[in-house]
Amino acid sequence: MTQTIAPRVRTVVLLLLAAACALLAGAGPASAHAAVTGSDPAQGAVVDKAPARISLTFSEQVAMSDDSLRVLDPEGKRVDAGEPSNVSGTTYAVRLRSGLPDGTYTVAYQVVSADSHPVAGAYTFSIGAPSKTSVTVSEQTADDGVVGWLYGFGRYVSYAGFIVMAGGAAFVLACWPRGSGVRPVQRFVVSGWLALTAATLALLLLRGSFTGSGKVADVFDLSLLGQVLQTKTGAALVSRLLLLAAAALFIAVLFGAYDKRDDPQEKRDLTFGLAIGGVVVAAGLAASWAMSEHASVGLQAGIAMPVDVVHLLAVAAWLGGLGALLVALYRAPAEAPVDASAVRRFSRVAFGSVLALIATGTYQSWRQLGSWSAFTDTRYGQLLLAKIALVTVLVGVAWISRRWTGRLAPPVPAPAEREKARVGVGADASGEAETDVTGRTVTDAEADTDADADTGEQSDSEPADTGEQSDPEPADTERAAQLARQRTARDAARQKRLRDADPNRFGLRRSVLAEAGIAVVLLAVTTVLTQTEPGRTEQEAKAATSSSASPSPDTGASGALTLNMPFDTGGKDGKGIVTVDLDPARVGGNEMHVYVERPNGQSFDIPEVKVDFTLQTKDIGPLPVVPDHIATGHWSANGVQIPMAGDWKVDVTVRTSDIDEVTVSKNAQIG
């Protein structure tokens, strides 16, 4: 029976890994976490005159490069001038060349959202009248190709490595201290450290290409690596590497000095020190994700980041400890099996972890979804439902494991103790028969058969051991060593047979294996979830897009108000365009920016600019606003109060000299 389990285990593990890879491969493009919520001109709009600039408003702040915003004429030639700039909050703009002819223009953008994911897209608007265009801009981002797949796989491996390393070490320290001397458990924890370290280095190299060109050849571009190191994500990855150095020291002490301590007081002191240090290092590693991904942006980021750290630590304690328990059940030597008390301690740790996951997961779900409808209407919500279902199944299987734990028999005694017990009941020195934990008699012949199967030798081919030899020849020495190895194999086989004969232990092993399999798939779903646009953002973007289906010429889809007003004071250099941006153009406080440009689109300063708001239907106003000069051709004012919604008249007074002054006006719906 035991010999048939190993192939089944390998088969199950391979199938689960294949399922995880299928989830990652079938995830499609990693959805953007920042969405375009407004544009000026709006998508599909037809404007009478060529605008001085193009602006896009995102749901969160984004990082831009020189080519992040491109405007292409109907023939595909670029007509933008200068670098994109942040004009207000989450609104970014690029200036256009003057004298643009009529036709359909394409705006293409590729930026990096604040939570480190690339965002790309394109839309069109027309000047004068729509026309044919030869421009074809793909909305694929760099994460859609080979580099994107490798980056996603690297994220999966990094999560898995952290869980294995942190959870495995916690299992040894908190549940099974004897496990610090068990070689398979040591290899399990060290493999987690190696996986996390290798994945972090790979992510650092892939990052530049992932958010840029998407070319495999750019992975080893040192200039891109230098740019990555200056970003929030790059800093988080470097911090993770430094913390992994501390984790290596922790692992060395855990499996070295800690394992060799015999004095109980010294071991307790070292356990306390390792526990404190381990929690600090693990929390720091978890923070390297929390500070650079979903939790670091959006609603209540100051609360979301520590909640995310607790969530990751709870996942590691549960799933990583589960993996360590599985290794102990299948690979621990017969003379040092994992005992029932260790399994019960882990059961309590897992229960506490599940409670922490429920609390933190509920908060995260509310923060990322924002409404019940987002569960079914957004991809993030659908993936979250799948994750909740997997966790529920996992908890159910864990309950079955808990029942098997209560039935576990005491551990099999060590060889020396068992020999004493046999002699004590009158067995002879040869030990012709003994009883296993189920009460069945196991003979030496049966054990020898097991040993022969392990060593590939036939037991009846062995000569009798005479016990004494004088001046053995080299061949006799070699034969004696061979016999010693066979005796060791027979003893190990006998112990393994005794240990595995316990049906309750066998049942526990199967249920823990099932838990580990579900955990592999759960981790894959979680990885895809972290690469998916939150439901709250997706719904806000959809609402903004629908509200801009028939946009007003003076308002963008996000509700932000942009007014372009030509002026001519009649004096020298008296002609130009004044632009008023009001964000979010609602009742209450608003942020206002005023830009003054020459007819050719070049910014220039004037002695004075003033803005008045008047709601004539309610006899309110004029409400004067005098913005502060910020830069050449740029004025700004914060806290501009709009007392109620309505069709407001916006008057802008422009003075270009001591005597040359003009007031231009436009009406717009605010609030």
Side-chain angles (χ1 to χ4, degrees):
M1 174 68 74
T2 304
Q3 292 177 355
T4 63
I5 292 177
R8 291 178 183 174
V9 172
R10 287 193 294 269
T11 302
V12 172
V13 170
L14 288 175
L15 287 174
L16 291 172
L17 286 175
C21 290
L23 278 169
L24 290 171
S31 300
H33 296 179
V36 174
T37 58
S39 61
D40 182 28
Q43 180 174 352
V46 179
V47 296
D48 295 333
K49 297 181 180 180
R53 61 179 183 169
I54 298 296
S55 66
L56 291 177
T57 302
F58 294 87
S59 58
E60 61 184 49
Q61 289 191 333
V62 298
M64 287 202 168
S65 62
D66 294 349
D67 293 327
S68 289
L69 264 180
R70 295 177 298 138
V71 184
L72 310 174
D73 67 11
E75 297 179 355
K77 298 179 181 178
R78 291 186 64 168
V79 296
D80 52 283
E83 301 178 0
S85 60
N86 179 215
V87 295
S88 66
T90 58
T91 300
Y92 300 80
V94 63
R95 299 187 182 281
L96 300 182
R97 297 174 185 171
S98 59
L100 295 181
D102 291 352
T104 297
Y105 290 77
T106 302
V107 179
Y109 58 89
Q110 180 165 338
V111 299
V112 180
S113 64
D115 59 358
S116 78
H117 292 270
V119 184
Y123 76 93
T124 61
F125 73 96
S126 301
I127 300 175
S131 68
K132 293 183 179 181
T133 176
S134 60
V135 177
T136 55
V137 179
S138 171
E139 294 193 13
Q140 279 195 335
T141 57
D143 60 336
D144 296 337
V146 175
V147 171
W149 190 92
L150 290 174
Y151 196 86
F153 183 73
R155 286 167 59 86
Y156 178 83
V157 173
S158 65
Y159 279 124
F162 171 72
I163 288 172
V164 167
M165 179 189 69
F171 175 79
V172 171
L173 201 59
C175 305
W176 193 37
R178 287 179 59 193
S180 61
V182 175
R183 187 60 58 87
V185 175
Q186 293 176 354
R187 286 196 294 264
F188 178 76
V189 175
V190 171
S191 67
W193 183 90
L194 291 173
L196 179 54
T197 303
T200 302
L201 289 171
L203 291 176
L204 261 178
L205 292 174
L206 290 166
R207 181 68 188 174
S209 179
F210 175 69
T211 57
S213 65
K215 299 177 181 177
V216 178
D218 290 341
V219 170
F220 299 101
D221 188 335
L222 294 182
S223 63
L224 283 178
L225 179 60
Q227 295 174 15
V228 168
L229 294 177
Q230 299 176 23
T231 65
K232 180 172 66 173
T233 302
L237 291 172
V238 171
S239 300
R240 193 179 301 166
L241 286 174
L242 295 175
L243 287 166
L244 280 168
L249 178 61
F250 171 88
I251 293 172
V253 174
L254 179 64
F255 296 140
Y258 179 78
D259 178 50
K260 294 178 174 60
R261 285 287 190 275
D262 295 325
D263 182 80
Q265 183 60 43
E266 290 183 359
K267 196 146 191 171
R268 280 195 297 270
D269 293 342
L270 190 53
T271 299
F272 179 77
L274 285 173
I276 297 297
V279 169
V280 171
V281 173
L285 288 169
S288 68
W289 278 284
M291 295 177 66
S292 61
E293 296 188 352
H294 277 167
S296 62
V297 296
L299 186 68
Q300 298 179 351
I303 299 175
M305 285 190 287
V307 167
D308 200 46
V309 169
V310 173
H311 191 82
L312 286 170
L313 292 177
V315 170
W318 184 19
L319 301 187
L322 186 68
L325 175 60
L326 183 67
V327 170
L329 288 170
Y330 276 95
R331 296 298 182 188
E335 62 271 15
V338 60
D339 52 18
S341 61
V343 181
R344 292 190 186 97
R345 282 193 290 269
F346 172 69
S347 182
R348 290 192 290 269
V349 170
F351 181 73
S353 298
V354 170
L355 293 180
L357 286 173
I358 292 173
T360 57
T362 301
Y363 171 78
Q364 290 177 328
S365 300
W366 167 80
R367 181 176 179 270
Q368 301 292 6
L369 291 177
S371 65
W372 291 106
S373 62
F375 271 110
T376 55
D377 295 345
T378 66
R379 188 165 185 271
Y380 186 95
Q382 294 162 2
L383 284 169
L384 186 58
L385 286 175
K387 179 180 177 181
I388 293 172
L390 285 169
V391 171
T392 303
V393 174
L394 190 56
V395 171
V397 178
W399 179 77
I400 297 174
S401 299
R402 190 181 181 93
R403 293 184 63 187
W404 284 118
T405 300
R407 303 173 184 173
L408 279 185
V412 180
E417 296 172 352
R418 189 169 63 250
E419 185 66 25
K420 292 178 183 178
R422 289 166 55 192
V423 174
V425 297
D428 60 21
S430 63
E432 293 181 356
E434 61 184 45
T435 302
D436 67 9
V437 293
T438 64
R440 191 175 63 83
T441 299
V442 181
T443 65
D444 281 344
E446 291 176 315
D448 289 347
T449 301
D450 288 342
D452 292 338
D454 291 340
T455 60
E457 305 270 347
Q458 295 294 328
S459 60
D460 57 6
S461 64
E462 300 175 16
D465 188 1
T466 60
E468 295 185 3
Q469 291 186 6
S470 59
D471 299 328
E473 295 297 325
D476 294 336
T477 303
E478 182 179 349
R479 182 58 179 165
Q482 185 180 33
L483 290 174
R485 288 194 298 270
Q486 290 176 353
R487 283 194 295 271
T488 302
R490 283 199 302 271
D491 186 64
R494 182 182 296 110
Q495 296 172 48
K496 191 173 188 300
R497 188 185 185 94
L498 292 171
R499 182 193 68 186
D500 295 342
D502 183 0
N504 296 316
R505 183 175 293 271
F506 179 73
L508 177 63
R509 287 165 63 172
R510 286 190 302 176
S511 63
V512 171
L513 177 62
E515 286 186 73
I518 298 170
V520 171
V521 180
L522 176 62
L523 182 59
V525 173
T526 301
T527 304
V528 176
L529 195 63
T530 62
Q531 298 174 197
T532 303
E533 180 180 347
R536 183 188 293 269
T537 304
E538 184 178 340
Q539 285 198 321
E540 288 176 354
K542 287 179 180 178
T545 302
S546 62
S547 67
S548 64
S550 301
S552 165
D554 293 324
T555 58
S558 69
L561 176 70
T562 301
L563 301 174
N564 295 310
M565 293 174 275
F567 66 86
D568 184 359
T569 62
K572 183 180 179 182
D573 291 332
K575 291 184 178 182
I577 299 174
V578 60
T579 301
V580 177
D581 282 346
L582 192 67
D583 189 13
R586 65 184 179 191
V587 175
N590 292 265
E591 183 177 358
M592 186 183 73
H593 291 263
V594 180
Y595 302 89
V596 177
E597 301 168 342
R598 300 184 189 277
N600 63 3
Q602 182 180 0
S603 300
F604 74 107
D605 281 337
I606 58 176
E608 185 180 24
V609 60
K610 295 184 298 184
V611 182
D612 293 318
F613 293 88
T614 305
L615 185 58
Q616 295 175 337
T617 57
K618 298 293 184 181
D619 198 23
I620 298 177
L623 306 176
V625 179
V626 180
D628 298 321
H629 185 253
I630 302 299
T632 301
H634 182 191
W635 289 258
S636 174
N638 293 321
V640 177
Q641 294 295 321
I642 302 297
M644 66 174 59
D647 186 20
W648 287 81
K649 180 183 178 184
V650 182
D651 296 319
V652 182
T653 301
V654 177
R655 183 167 62 85
T656 57
S657 70
D658 291 341
I659 58 173
D660 298 317
E661 181 179 291
V662 68
T663 297
V664 291
S665 304
K666 250 188 182 181
N667 281 36
Q669 181 68 33
I670 302 178

